[in-house]
Amino acid sequence: MKTLAARYAAGPGPAGSLRAVSAAVVILAAGSGSRVGAEVNKVLLPLGETPVLTWSVRAALTVPDIHRLVVVVRPGEEGAVADAVAPWLGEREALLVTGGQTRHASEWQALQVLAPDIEAGEIDVVAIHDGARPLAGPELFAETLAAARATGGVIPVVPLSGLVTATGGAVPAGLAGVQTPQAFRADALLTAYAAAAREGFEGTDTASCLERYGSVPIAAVPSTSRNLKVTFPEDVALAAALVVTPPSPGPVDDPLDVVDFDPA
């Protein structure tokens, strides 16, 4: 399997050198966003003064123990995503990986890239986040990673209200909506996705694969409706009303190099 990766490397070490890592974040940005009605991928739409995607990148890299960031992109959008992300990396690095035809396939692409570090024990937890949720914030990333270390797996949830059935009837009380980032112990996550690949299973989200193949409990942490997903045009306007414009990025000293990366 051939995966296209882009790495931005800065700092005193040589370009392309690896650092000791403990946590990784995968940001999924390979969807089309057709329901938004835009001509470009919704994660590249402006939100304040920067694209939707960069809000998640900035939030993830604010968490101190995140040392590996993977952004999964649609084929043909590697350059556009690299241009959006690189100015915000500072002295950090990111891998851009071409995604698959489905969400599950894109997650598996990212995990194969991370597999050598997971198997070497250099990554202990992985959080997978939807790049169309720009307002998760560093606190939620930190909380889910900490909870995953403690319990094995965690999903953020928010109470749902105002729901009715298709016939207009009442729904059971206490229902909750599941969000991202969803975080899990890295070895259990990789094992579950490898098993799913062997059997041809595709889950609707990360937790569904761990529920089927995993050996770790999955806990819940509270979230809020602020962690919205940009799905429809009105969501873009709502997110824009909620954000505080981030500072302009500093200068980028090193270029973003695009290289062929083969996880096999």
Side-chain angles (χ1 to χ4, degrees):
M1 180 187 305
K2 186 70 66 175
T3 304
L4 181 69
R7 171 169 295 177
Y8 172 88
S17 62
L18 297 179
R19 303 170 183 173
V21 294
S22 60
V25 169
V26 174
I27 299 180
L28 302 173
S32 64
S34 58
R35 286 176 289 181
V36 173
E39 295 182 356
V40 299
N41 189 334
K42 61 187 176 183
V43 300
L44 297 175
L45 291 172
L47 182 57
E49 296 181 357
T50 184
V52 167
L53 175 61
T54 62
W55 289 83
S56 295
V57 170
R58 293 173 59 251
L61 292 179
T62 299
V63 181
D65 68 343
I66 293 178
H67 299 291
R68 180 58 58 85
L69 175 66
V70 178
V71 182
V72 185
V73 303
R74 284 199 302 177
E77 292 186 344
E78 294 87 356
V81 171
D83 289 343
V85 170
W88 300 94
L89 293 178
E91 294 186 354
R92 310 298 289 275
E93 64 181 26
L95 294 172
L96 301 189
V97 176
T98 305
Q101 293 295 316
T102 63
R103 179 192 186 92
H104 182 97
S106 292
E107 293 174 334
W108 179 224
Q109 293 282 82
L111 288 172
Q112 290 177 89
V113 171
L114 293 172
D117 287 341
I118 294 174
E119 292 167 347
E122 296 176 344
I123 293 175
D124 64 341
V125 288
V126 177
I128 298 183
H129 182 59
D130 193 331
R133 291 188 183 272
L135 306 183
E139 295 82 6
L140 187 58
F141 276 101
E143 186 173 1
T144 54
L145 289 168
R149 286 190 172 103
T151 66
V154 65
I155 54 176
V157 299
V158 61
L160 296 177
S161 61
L163 298 179
V164 296
T165 66
T167 59
V171 299
L175 293 181
V178 178
Q179 301 176 341
T180 65
Q182 300 181 10
F184 303 90
R185 290 180 186 163
D187 54 352
L189 185 62
L190 183 60
T191 298
Y193 272 74
R198 289 192 297 271
E199 296 188 7
F201 172 82
E202 292 214 349
T204 54
D205 66 354
T206 319
S208 65
C209 186
L210 267 292
E211 185 178 23
R212 184 180 180 96
Y213 295 105
S215 58
V216 295
I218 301 175
V221 296
S223 184
T224 72
S225 57
R226 176 182 172 88
N227 185 22
L228 59 85
K229 184 176 181 179
V230 174
T231 304
F232 301 104
E234 58 267 27
D235 298 327
V236 180
L238 177 57
L242 293 172
V243 302
V244 176
T245 302
S248 299
V252 178
D253 297 325
D254 293 344
L256 186 69
D257 296 323
V258 180
V259 299
D260 285 329
F261 189 95
D262 188 351

